[in-house]
Amino acid sequence: MPSLLSRLLPEDRLTRAMSYQSALSAFAEGAFITGEAVYFTQVVGLSPAQVGLMLTLSLAAAFVFSVPLGRLADRVGTRRSWIVGSALEAVFFASWFLAGSFVTALAVLIPLSLANTWVRTGRSAYQMQVFPREKRVHARAYLRAARNAGYSVGALAGGTALALDSLTLVHAVPLFTSVVLLANSYWVSRLPEPPRPEPVVPAVAVAEGAARPGRRRDPRAALRNRPFVLTTFLNGVLGTHQVLLMTVIPLWLVAETDAPKVVLAWLYGTNTVMAVALQVAAARGVATVSDSLRAQRRGALCFLVSCGIIAVTHDTVGWVTIVLMWVGHVTVTGAELYQSAGQWGLVAELADPERRGEYEGVVGLGYNLGSVWAPAAYTYLAMSWGAVGWAVIAAVILAAAVAIHPAARAGERHLRRLGIAPETERGTADDPADDPAGARDGSQDAAEDPAEGKPVLPEPRTEARAEPRQEPSLHDHTG
């Protein structure tokens, strides 16, 4: 067992420490999410309609503030944003005991949603900064696998509280989540500071300023990077595999096939196991824009195959239906694994390294715009049009997979126009993940305290700013 565990865990010590942290935070969130409907209705006393409206308003607030929170993460620092945001999450979860009406529940949920958005932005930007180019997608795959594992265990804990049918336990879940998230905030504070890229003042900024006197529009603002916005939108379209996994396929199985409903449990179980066990393999070798686009093509192909397989189950019977539904779920999970790896690579390569937080905010904005319409559209197409509807869904994915290639290449050209060279042409400073001595690197392990047998995370550090290079249009970037 120890040897098997050592093979599953990443060799890179920082990745391993961050994997533990990812599992811990996901465990806390999963425990609450599993029973949140029960908590909102039985403890807070809301109606189902009020719960739906409250969740919609909180998502709308996160959507509106995604880019401003990204800019705040750049200003405050990605690691500090992650730490403070996690602490705020803990405070707001502990505040659920104050909620006793729709208004008070909304007063807790909206700031909690904003804190969660700030955490995700800071965390994603930090991960892009702290790992060198050749490791970042591989590391994020490990972290996502760890989060999936944490969510699964958290869901089991939350489900146990519901199964015991004790309102006292349900009351205690938010407080439990708060305590774990507070520990998570401390854990994050033990992670090293990311290296800082060299500042670059692109000539295009001077040129635009001279051409437009009196205007102070920033040419490097993420929202002005139209190719990047388009790429994130198309990533959102390609990411609608989640709609198939969580909504359309279950509805199709129940309403349009003769498969027993218990098969749904096996489908979800298969997806969870694959997401934990195969995400790292799917992300292997993804580093450049070309690598990322190849992963997107593979994900789209899996998506198309799944649409074709699921569509024919309307006319099959018995075990044939069950097997085909399972295979269709496996292929759409493949779409999830490859598309995620491709998205991470594109975001890392096409974002301004000095504005990781702001660009991560745009990622959330564009991704939501690309996917928010899918639940209603896909459900209508599949359930009303049958095989033709599945063909239309497949055509949407095929169009997005084709369009993301020129969009990504245009994003590369946009960075060049700003004087930001592709990373293959940039120098790299001493990165924490590359120091073989392990004294100050991002690959140093969480050593074990011999007295207690507990992991001891690397001490926080602050990287010295790299000396400017002779080429003012280039800048050092390792994350």
Side-chain angles (χ1 to χ4, degrees):
M1 187 66 181
S3 61
L4 175 61
L5 188 61
S6 64
R7 286 197 297 269
L8 292 176
L9 291 174
E11 295 180 2
D12 181 271
R13 296 179 176 183
L14 178 60
T15 306
R16 189 183 306 175
M18 291 176 67
S19 296
Y20 297 148
Q21 177 279 322
S22 294
L24 180 68
S25 62
F27 168 73
E29 294 171 7
F32 181 79
I33 290 172
T34 302
E36 69 175 7
V38 174
Y39 188 90
F40 291 151
T41 55
Q42 295 188 13
V43 176
V44 182
L46 303 180
S47 68
Q50 287 176 317
V51 172
L53 177 59
M54 181 178 67
L55 293 174
T56 299
L57 291 174
S58 68
L59 290 174
F63 179 81
V64 169
F65 286 95
S66 60
V67 176
L69 288 171
R71 291 175 180 153
L72 179 62
D74 285 328
R75 182 179 296 273
V76 174
T78 57
R79 176 175 162 273
R80 186 175 300 171
S81 296
W82 189 4
I83 296 168
V84 176
S86 296
L88 288 175
E89 279 188 302
V91 170
F92 292 129
F93 268 108
S95 300
W96 273 119
F97 78 94
L98 298 173
S101 65
F102 176 77
V103 173
T104 55
L106 196 62
V108 174
L109 186 59
I110 286 183
L112 175 60
S113 178
L114 295 179
N116 181 260
T117 301
W118 195 24
V119 166
R120 284 188 285 107
T121 299
R123 180 179 65 220
S124 297
Y126 175 87
Q127 292 166 359
M128 292 297 181
Q129 290 175 328
V130 80
F131 293 109
R133 182 195 201 198
E134 66 276 7
K135 294 181 181 179
R136 62 166 68 105
V137 174
H138 187 258
R140 291 198 72 172
Y142 268 111
L143 301 182
R144 187 176 192 222
R147 287 194 69 79
N148 279 320
Y151 275 125
S152 299
V153 178
L156 180 62
T160 301
L162 294 177
L164 293 176
D165 199 22
S166 169
L167 206 57
T168 302
L169 285 178
V170 175
H171 268 283
V173 169
L175 185 59
F176 170 78
T177 299
S178 174
V179 172
V180 177
L181 287 178
L182 199 60
N184 170 69
S185 180
Y186 172 75
W187 194 305
V188 175
S189 72
R190 304 290 291 170
L191 297 175
E193 283 283 355
R196 298 178 182 178
E198 290 181 13
V200 58
V201 182
V204 68
V206 178
E208 290 202 8
R212 299 187 178 99
R215 299 183 65 179
R216 294 186 178 181
R217 297 179 63 186
D218 185 355
R220 294 178 64 189
L223 283 174
R224 296 197 66 193
N225 187 339
R226 294 185 182 89
F228 185 84
V229 175
L230 177 59
T231 300
T232 60
F233 172 82
L234 295 172
N235 266 320
V237 176
L238 294 172
T240 53
H241 45 69
Q242 289 298 312
V243 177
L244 256 62
L245 283 167
M246 306 304 296
T247 305
V248 182
I249 289 179
L251 289 174
W252 178 267
L253 182 146
V254 171
E256 302 294 334
T257 77
D258 65 340
K261 297 179 180 63
V262 71
V263 173
L264 288 173
W266 291 100
L267 298 184
Y268 287 130
T270 298
N271 173 258
T272 300
V273 171
M274 289 181 65
V276 173
L278 299 180
Q279 182 64 79
V280 175
R284 186 170 293 121
V286 177
T288 66
V289 170
S290 296
D291 298 333
S292 303
L293 291 175
R294 182 170 60 250
Q296 293 283 27
R297 290 194 298 271
R298 290 174 177 173
L301 179 60
C302 289
F303 202 126
L304 299 181
V305 171
S306 180
C307 288
I309 293 173
I310 298 298
V312 304
T313 59
H314 181 271
D315 300 317
T316 58
V317 294
W319 278 102
V320 175
T321 302
I322 294 173
V323 171
L324 287 177
M325 290 297 300
W326 182 79
V327 174
H329 217 259
V330 167
T331 52
V332 79
T333 301
E336 174 188 1
L337 301 179
Y338 283 119
Q339 186 273 330
S340 297
Q343 177 182 337
W344 297 331
L346 290 176
V347 171
E349 292 292 289
L350 301 180
D352 186 336
E354 293 184 40
R355 300 184 176 210
R356 290 286 185 193
E358 182 179 347
Y359 270 77
E360 286 293 340
V362 172
V363 169
L365 194 70
Y367 193 94
N368 285 331
L369 287 174
S371 58
V372 68
W373 50 270
Y378 284 5
T379 301
Y380 173 78
L381 288 169
M383 306 305 291
S384 300
W385 291 12
V388 174
W390 284 104
V392 173
I393 294 172
V396 170
I397 297 304
L398 180 60
V402 171
I404 200 170
H405 286 68
R409 298 304 181 185
E412 287 184 303
R413 293 192 295 272
H414 180 86
L415 291 184
R416 287 181 181 276
R417 285 196 297 271
L418 292 178
I420 304 172
E423 195 158 355
T424 50
E425 300 175 14
R426 302 175 200 153
T428 53
D430 292 335
D431 184 80
D434 289 331
D435 183 0
R440 58 177 177 79
D441 79 327
S443 64
Q444 59 184 321
D445 207 330
E448 286 196 341
D449 187 325
E452 300 181 13
K454 297 179 180 179
V456 179
L457 292 178
E459 290 294 334
R461 62 173 176 81
T462 304
E463 284 286 336
R465 200 173 187 82
E467 290 297 323
R469 300 182 183 276
Q470 293 181 352
E471 303 88 341
S473 64
L474 302 183
H475 67 281
D476 186 9
H477 169 54
T478 58

